[in-house]
Amino acid sequence: MKRQEFGFDQWFEEQASKLNMDGCGIARVTAVDRGSCLIADGVREVPAELSGKLSFQLDSPADLPCVGDWVTARHYNDDTTAIIHRVLPRRTFLRRKTPGATIDSQMIAANIDTAFLVQSCHFDFNPSRLERYLVMALDGHVDPLVLLTKTDLVSPEDLEEKRAAISAITQARVIALSTVTGGGIEELQQTLAPGRTYCLLGSSGVGKTTLLNRLLGQRAFETRAVSGTGEGTHTTTRRQLVRLELGAMLVDTPGMRELGMAGAGVGVEAGFADVAALAALCRYADCSHQREPGCAVRAAIEQGELPGERYASYLKLKKEAEFHGLSQLDRRRKDKAFGRHIKALKKHMEN
């Protein structure tokens, strides 16, 4: 199989031409699991590790190779293993804040053309969480498409209500489907183009792996039923890229319980274009939308043109993105200043 059939187009050709290949070949990362990688060059798929030089040069976890990356690698041991020497520039990406207290970003996948944002019609339907996925996709310049799964578990009226709730927050295309009845599967298949890369994003239990198996035409990956409470159970344990029969690539990802914004200011503005457009009409450029006269945002809320919940979500994600977008140095400075303030306050109270 040629690299072009695996998604290596003219844009990546130009990026590779700027590098000193040093005897390496080009390959794509097809799986990442706890730091270990699988890479494929169109002929073979082998395990790979980072070269010492590349490991030393990494400044952040976000610089590590992730699923969908194109890399330069040298094979050895009769082409059964490889060493990754460089990661080519990413055209698009999906990232989140590193889970836990660490202030850093983590790449979910790279060089994705379309992100399938999966929401279950049953227990998992959550517009606020969908807003976060939309921001993630738009921040990385990835086209979003919403998939509503398990439509067989709800009434037609309930399904239309969910469609309306999605339309209120995004103009992205929505495909409603069921892997049980097969409804919507053909419509989804028609969106898959050879040489293009897609990614499934959603919580555990929304049916991502079941859908992947359906598109593959076989039960290639394990699935499990959701719990009695409707909470998903983790089936997919690593991010992996598979090639479908007609030539499209699809990345399956584990369900994400934490979806923090990592400096996604661009994505927030794009995901809340309605709010940003109103803010541009405010009398003052630095309007906080609180008490200033001539505030277009507050006027829209008062007139019922902008739901208050929508604006609250915008503020929350914007503040979160700005906070996590601070450099680690700036964050440490803020933490130290806050610590000094607390100590001074405690000393004052003791006196």
Side-chain angles (χ1 to χ4, degrees):
M1 183 177 67
K2 298 179 180 179
R3 286 201 304 260
Q4 288 74 12
E5 297 174 10
F6 215 42
F8 196 80
D9 59 20
Q10 183 62 37
W11 190 89
F12 293 109
E13 290 278 6
E14 292 175 359
Q15 306 310 310
S17 67
K18 301 173 185 177
L19 302 177
N20 183 351
M21 297 299 291
D22 294 325
C24 295
I26 298 291
R28 196 169 194 190
V29 179
T30 56
V32 174
D33 186 11
R34 297 178 179 85
S36 62
C37 299
L38 284 179
I39 63 172
D41 61 2
V43 178
R44 62 187 74 80
E45 185 178 53
V46 300
E49 58 184 17
L50 273 61
S51 69
K53 182 178 180 180
L54 179 58
S55 298
F56 180 76
Q57 292 174 338
L58 296 177
D59 294 325
S60 163
D63 297 330
L64 288 166
C66 67
V67 171
D69 266 329
W70 287 98
V71 299
T72 67
R74 181 177 289 114
H75 290 72
Y76 63 100
N77 283 353
D78 295 326
D79 293 338
T80 59
T81 54
I83 293 179
I84 297 173
H85 289 267
R86 292 175 181 266
V87 178
L88 270 66
R90 294 159 176 155
R91 180 162 58 192
T92 64
F93 58 84
L94 296 168
R95 67 177 179 179
R96 64 170 175 174
K97 173 191 168 295
T98 303
T102 304
I103 303 299
D104 216 326
S105 57
Q106 176 189 44
M107 287 294 168
I108 304 302
N111 304 316
I112 303 298
D113 296 298
T114 300
F116 292 143
L117 312 182
V118 188
Q119 290 261 302
S120 167
C121 285
H122 203 209
F123 291 104
D124 181 72
F125 187 73
N126 187 328
S128 295
R129 190 168 184 84
L130 177 59
E131 286 175 333
R132 286 181 173 268
Y133 281 117
L134 284 165
V135 168
M136 175 192 287
L138 295 170
D139 178 58
H141 310 287
V142 179
D143 293 331
L145 190 156
V146 181
L147 298 183
L148 269 175
T149 61
K150 305 186 181 182
T151 57
D152 54 289
L153 299 179
V154 297
S155 66
E157 295 77 16
D158 192 14
L159 177 58
E160 286 307 308
E161 288 181 5
K162 288 176 168 53
R163 278 184 173 274
I166 293 173
S167 297
I169 63 176
T170 179
Q171 296 182 351
R173 181 180 176 184
V174 179
I175 297 179
L177 52 85
S178 168
T179 55
V180 175
T181 67
I185 298 296
E186 183 177 353
E187 182 181 358
L188 174 59
Q189 289 175 325
Q190 291 174 353
T191 69
L192 303 172
R196 306 281 286 178
T197 305
Y198 306 83
C199 183
L200 292 166
L201 291 174
S203 304
S204 298
V206 297
K208 300 189 301 297
T209 305
T210 301
L211 178 58
L212 175 58
N213 285 337
R214 181 65 181 257
L215 293 174
L216 285 169
Q218 57 180 310
R219 186 170 178 175
F221 300 96
E222 179 189 358
T223 60
R224 291 199 298 268
V226 297
S227 65
T229 63
E231 185 175 359
T233 54
H234 286 279
T235 301
T236 301
T237 58
R238 68 177 184 177
R239 302 178 184 92
Q240 52 196 336
L241 181 150
V242 297
R243 190 168 184 269
L244 303 180
E245 183 178 0
L246 296 180
M249 274 72 66
L250 186 60
V251 176
D252 190 18
T253 63
M256 290 178 280
R257 300 190 186 280
E258 291 188 46
L259 198 58
M261 298 293 99
V266 173
V268 172
E269 295 303 314
F272 290 81
D274 51 345
V275 182
L278 286 169
L281 299 176
C282 291
R283 182 181 302 175
Y284 302 107
D286 60 347
C287 183
S288 66
H289 317 305
Q290 299 296 321
R291 298 182 179 85
E292 296 90 342
C295 176
V297 172
R298 198 169 66 252
I301 295 174
E302 292 171 353
Q303 295 169 12
E305 298 173 359
L306 176 68
E309 298 82 0
R310 173 76 170 162
Y311 178 59
S313 293
Y314 167 76
L315 283 182
K316 181 178 181 180
L317 294 184
K318 184 177 177 64
K319 290 179 179 178
E320 187 176 326
E322 290 174 348
F323 178 76
H324 293 306
L326 294 173
S327 68
Q328 294 187 38
L329 178 59
D330 288 340
R331 180 67 194 279
R332 285 195 294 268
R333 287 173 178 170
K334 283 180 173 288
D335 288 345
K336 288 179 180 179
F338 182 72
R340 288 194 297 269
H341 173 72
I342 294 298
K343 288 181 180 179
L345 183 60
K346 287 182 177 179
K347 185 176 181 179
H348 175 73
M349 293 178 65
E350 290 172 356
N351 295 333

